[in-house]
């Protein structure tokens, strides 16, 4: 999020946030949920990949998993509403920071946790992310590794 704010100021010359106050609040909520989803995946990586198995706390992992599932469910709902509205992006004709955040979150989740997050279970989110990833800006920064 901070990188995007920096690029808006010094490169793009415009904000990726909606101007309307209600849309701005909804975009901020979506950015927060997308960011939280990525943080939950990172927490799972650290707990299962870096902590000795004997020290891993199963109830905490279950809670993190519930939080991640909730975030994905919210993003799928927003993507479904976007699809049904037929709008180019969630807040109109121009891509917003919320759109970028959700697309990046879904790709990160797929990259790390694909075995448990099948695209068929989240078709609107997968389609939304694919639309964003087809943009030249996304193609110029491919996910690797």
């Amino acid at each position: 999020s901070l990188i995007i704010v920096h690029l808006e100021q010094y490169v793009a010359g415009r904000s990726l946030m909606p101007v309307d106050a209600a849309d701005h609040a909804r975009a901020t909520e979506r950015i927060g949920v997308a960011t939280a989803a990525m943080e939950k995946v990172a927490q799972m990586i650290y707990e299962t990949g870096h902590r000795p198995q004997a020290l891993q706390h199963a109830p905490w992992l279950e809670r993190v998993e519930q939080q991640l599932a909730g975030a994905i469910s919210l993003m799928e709902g927003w993507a479904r509403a976007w699809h049904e509205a037929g709008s180019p992006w969630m807040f109109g004709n121009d891509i917003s920071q919320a759109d970028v955040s959700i697309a990046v979150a879904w790709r990160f989740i797929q990259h790390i946790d694909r075995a448990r997050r099948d695209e068929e279970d989240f078709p609107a989110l997968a389609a939304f992310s694919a639309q964003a990833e087809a943009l030249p800006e996304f193609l110029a920064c491919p996910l690797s590794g």
Side-chain angles (χ1 to χ4, degrees), residues 41 44 65 68 108-117:
V41 172
M44 292 167 61
E65 171 61 35
L68 176 58
F108 179 62
I109 292 165
Q110 283 292 289
H111 180 69
I112 299 299
D113 202 28
R114 180 181 301 269
R116 297 188 310 164
R117 314 290 172 193

Side-chain angles (χ1 to χ4, degrees), residues 14-64:
R14 70 175 184 90
S15 176
L16 292 179
M17 292 297 288
V19 175
D20 177 78
D23 284 346
H24 191 280
R26 290 183 327 151
T28 300
E29 175 189 30
R30 293 172 189 199
I31 293 164
V33 168
T35 302
M38 291 184 281
E39 289 172 356
K40 297 306 163 185
V41 172
Q43 289 171 344
M44 292 167 61
I45 291 168
Y46 292 131
E47 185 71 9
T48 61
H50 299 286
R51 184 182 302 270
Q53 189 168 5
L55 299 177
Q56 293 176 16
H57 188 58
W60 185 78
L61 275 171
E62 289 171 15
R63 178 69 179 139
V64 170

Side-chain angles (χ1 to χ4, degrees), residues 89 95 99-100 103-104 127-139:
W89 297 104
I95 195 167
D99 298 311
V100 172
V104 168
F128 182 80
S129 183
Q131 175 179 311
E133 290 180 56
L135 294 172
E137 295 83 357
F138 276 76
L139 294 172

